[in-house]
Amino acid sequence: MTQPQPPFQPDSNIDHAWHDGYNLGVNHGIALAPKRTHPLIWVLVGAVGTMAVGGFIAGAIALVNKTTKPGSFAITGTMSLSSSDAQRIGSGCVGDGGYDDIRPGAEVKVTDEAGKTLATGRLEGGETSNGECVLPFTVSGVPAGSTFYQVEISHRGGLTYSEAEAREPLAFSLGE
């Protein structure tokens, strides 16, 4: 005669137990309701998310304002060379002979009445227009409020402008 099996007693040292092919699990087959998240957690998650989005927006605004700060402006203009003092390069042009420093990348420097450098920019690519080589420039972030502004291209000496004049497009020319 066979003896009946003893009743199942789970081993407390393991996470789950098997009996007659059934996984009785930690709670011996009893399903537990999931734990509810405290409402304060959702408030904190929302606050952190809002701060992150706000920080991203503030950073983007700061990046946009980096080149033109409040109380500053941009000086724009052109440097023109007569065709006899320029050479064509591809579809563009650059200074030639004694004007070979007038080319894309040449420094445009803005100083104040004390000679302090306020901002710098660069000449951009030249285009031939009406028999001249014309190179545009922009100097961003020039602080407002100086008595006057001196604008110098390359090492050619600066020309002096009031703030109202400097806010208008400037036109420099060299050669014939």
Side-chain angles (χ1 to χ4, degrees):
M1 178 174 210
T2 47
Q3 290 206 318
Q5 288 185 322
F8 177 76
Q9 295 184 351
D11 186 345
S12 62
N13 293 328
I14 58 173
D15 289 341
H16 64 281
W18 289 87
H19 180 67
D20 292 336
Y22 295 101
N23 181 355
L24 298 178
V26 174
N27 299 307
H28 308 289
I30 301 171
L32 297 177
K35 289 185 177 180
R36 294 186 54 128
T37 304
H38 194 280
L40 185 57
I41 295 295
W42 294 116
V43 171
L44 291 173
V45 167
V48 169
T50 301
M51 289 184 344
V53 169
F56 177 77
I57 291 171
I61 290 170
L63 183 62
V64 167
N65 289 334
K66 184 177 181 182
T67 56
T68 305
K69 302 173 188 121
S72 69
F73 63 100
I75 294 178
T76 61
T78 57
M79 167 56 87
S80 299
L81 295 169
S82 65
S83 61
S84 62
D85 297 313
Q87 65 174 318
R88 293 191 67 129
I89 297 182
S91 63
C93 58
V94 296
D96 194 24
Y99 301 105
D100 62 353
D101 59 315
I102 306 301
R103 60 186 339 94
E107 182 179 61
V108 180
K109 180 171 62 171
V110 178
T111 57
D112 66 8
E113 61 277 0
K116 176 184 172 195
T117 299
L118 301 175
T120 59
R122 301 272 176 204
L123 288 178
E124 298 168 20
E127 300 274 332
T128 302
S129 174
N130 297 325
E132 293 184 316
C133 176
V134 181
L135 297 99
F137 66 86
T138 300
V139 181
S140 298
V142 178
S146 290
T147 304
F148 68 82
Y149 298 88
Q150 191 170 62
V151 181
E152 179 180 21
I153 298 177
S154 185
H155 64 313
R156 299 287 171 168
L159 296 176
T160 303
Y161 300 94
S162 69
E163 184 174 330
E165 293 169 325
R167 287 179 179 270
E168 298 296 321
L170 306 178
F172 293 82
S173 64
L174 290 171
E176 294 179 4

